[in-house]
Amino acid sequence: METAHDEPSGAAAAPPWWRDAVFYQVYVRSFADSDGDGVGDLEGIRSRLGYLELLGVDALWLTPFFTSPMADHGYDVADPRDVDPLFGDLAAFDRLVAEAHEHGIRVTIDLVPNHTSDQHPWFAAALRGGPERARYHFRPGRGAGGELPPNNWTSVFGGPAWTRSPDGEWYLHLFAPQQPDLNWDDSDVRADLVRTLRFWLDRGVDGFRVDVAHGMAKAPGLPDLDPAVVPVLTGAHAHPVEDPRFDNDEVHDIHRMIRQVVDRYADTVTVGEIWVQTDERFARYVRPDELHLGFNFKLALTAFDADSVRRAIDNSLAAVAATGAPPTWTLSNHDVERHVTRYGGGETGTRRARAMALVQLALPGVVFLYNGEELGLPNVDLPDWALQDPIHEHTGGRERGRDGCRVPMPWEGGGPTFGFSTGDRSWLPMPSDWASFTVESQLEDPGSVLSLYRHALEVRKTVEAFDGEELEWYGAPPGCFAFRRKGGGLICALNTSDAPVPLPPGEVLLASGPVTSSDLPPETAVWLV
């Protein structure tokens, strides 16, 4: 029923829970495996809810666990209203949601509306020439006998965005050929999404992260790409130019439709994965009647450099300033190289990642953490035989893909699975030297990355200095910055230079590394009041 989340009548209005929440992204395959098959599952997540409560996060974001042949590890959905047996069943999902709520943790799930699996019943019927063909983008080819694709669009995963069907027509897939794009001009497609939204909301979910939120509507007529820009478009998130495949105006009607459904369930949230050219285009997705939040990649694409980080913060705040939506902040996720590695790896990368954790958690708005970043996990350079990302396959090995940031969580003990699985293998191999990264080894170590995150999350929740949604910048030496939360008075300072700098005045609340009473060392951040 649609009132499952309604507030009691007469309840005082309060800011939405998600406005300054810390979301924890669980890549379901890689979090915890309860049945020994080497792949994470819903019961595995449920068994670790106590850890997540101890960590101090407010909400989970679960990557797809729906029925799927796993050509793209769940992002090719064959049934959006059921659980793939690899991950459990609907009863396991219901237990997970209920127990998460008992732990005070909300649950949001992935929504994959841009495409289906080629094993979806609709697509099987479309290939047979049924009326379901109108739910996808089928077109006759060009050239003699239709031997050429209908246009020159490329797939994000490499190669052409068209595959020829047995009857000679071609179908569009902006990702893998096993992921045919849906036609959002079709009323059946829209009606089915409404059914999916209601299905999961009625089961108690607290919201959705919308995959490829900028991609559902294609430019009318599917015009050719400018040949001059085609070579720069391949890559998981390469949309550097005007691109008729993505960010077309009609997509906003779809988001308004989603919002109308979600708003009938109190305390729910929508988060869009948005890759667009400009801040102005980004802001359109988080207007009051569209997405509540836009997933912001600016920090995740920024080097460890004070000036670059400050520009990313300023641009992020400016992008949502006129919309009423809070900013969001992320350093890593399942599509992006882990930031310990991006920042140089080893001790250097870890030291810089610790500093950026304090910067991220000091900012106003919503924070997204990716499972394992609270352990300081690096990207893993996997051997070719272990790679499973379709990007690696469809680029002919030119791109390594995203497997390196998806290696499973190390929980306790030793290899080969470090407590991730009850069996002796994991779907991606785990490095044999990860014993020092386990939750077990870090939990009682006050100097560990995990202890830093736990302390920072506790302070963020309980200290009034974090109040307020505006920042004020201080003057700072080259290679440094300092800002103050105007509503509460927290000061966060970052030194990315190679020399110590004077600390701003105030009492130290928390530091990413050792600090003196007067100096902030290189590659260190600090909170002061």
Side-chain angles (χ1 to χ4, degrees), residues 134-295:
R135 300 172 187 174
Y136 297 90
H137 296 278
F138 279 84
R139 297 289 187 277
R142 296 194 289 196
E147 298 294 327
L148 299 175
N151 66 23
N152 68 347
W153 288 11
T154 55
S155 162
V156 171
F157 283 178
W162 295 91
T163 291
R164 202 170 193 188
S165 62
D167 68 0
E169 284 205 321
W170 298 72
Y171 69 87
L172 177 69
H173 53 87
L174 293 185
F175 296 89
Q178 299 92 334
Q179 295 168 291
D181 279 48
L182 287 164
N183 174 17
W184 278 91
D185 292 331
D186 186 272
S187 60
D188 290 334
V189 171
R190 297 192 177 216
D192 192 70
L193 178 64
V194 171
R195 286 192 289 271
T196 296
L197 293 167
R198 289 176 173 165
F199 179 86
W200 295 109
L201 288 164
D202 287 340
R203 300 193 90 90
V205 304
D206 300 288
F208 302 93
R209 178 264 191 184
V210 185
D211 185 60
V212 197
H214 59 297
M216 291 173 279
K218 280 65 176 178
L222 309 184
D224 274 346
L225 286 159
D226 179 349
V229 305
V230 169
V232 304
L233 292 178
T234 298
H237 303 297
H239 310 307
V241 294
E242 187 172 346
D243 187 340
R245 303 173 304 171
F246 297 100
D247 190 29
N248 292 286
D249 289 346
E250 294 79 7
V251 77
H252 298 285
D253 290 335
I254 304 170
H255 289 300
R256 281 189 283 271
M257 180 193 73
I258 293 172
R259 182 65 178 269
Q260 288 170 6
V261 176
V262 170
D263 276 354
R264 298 184 71 177
Y265 297 77
D267 290 335
T268 49
V269 66
T270 53
V271 186
E273 179 193 26
I274 305 167
W275 294 88
V276 292
Q277 286 180 263
T278 66
D279 291 339
E280 184 275 331
R281 301 293 296 185
F282 184 94
R284 300 183 69 200
Y285 287 83
V286 290
R287 290 178 289 195
D289 61 346
E290 296 192 37
L291 294 159
H292 294 93
L293 301 170
F295 200 80

Side-chain angles (χ1 to χ4, degrees), residues 463-508:
V463 175
E464 292 182 359
F466 286 81
D467 290 346
E469 298 185 350
E470 295 184 14
L471 295 185
E472 177 181 54
W473 292 101
Y474 283 80
C480 308
F481 66 60
F483 62 78
R484 182 175 70 90
R485 292 280 290 268
K486 290 179 70 172
L490 173 86
I491 297 171
C492 178
L494 171 69
N495 181 6
T496 66
S497 74
D498 56 5
V501 298
L503 275 175
E507 176 186 351
V508 174

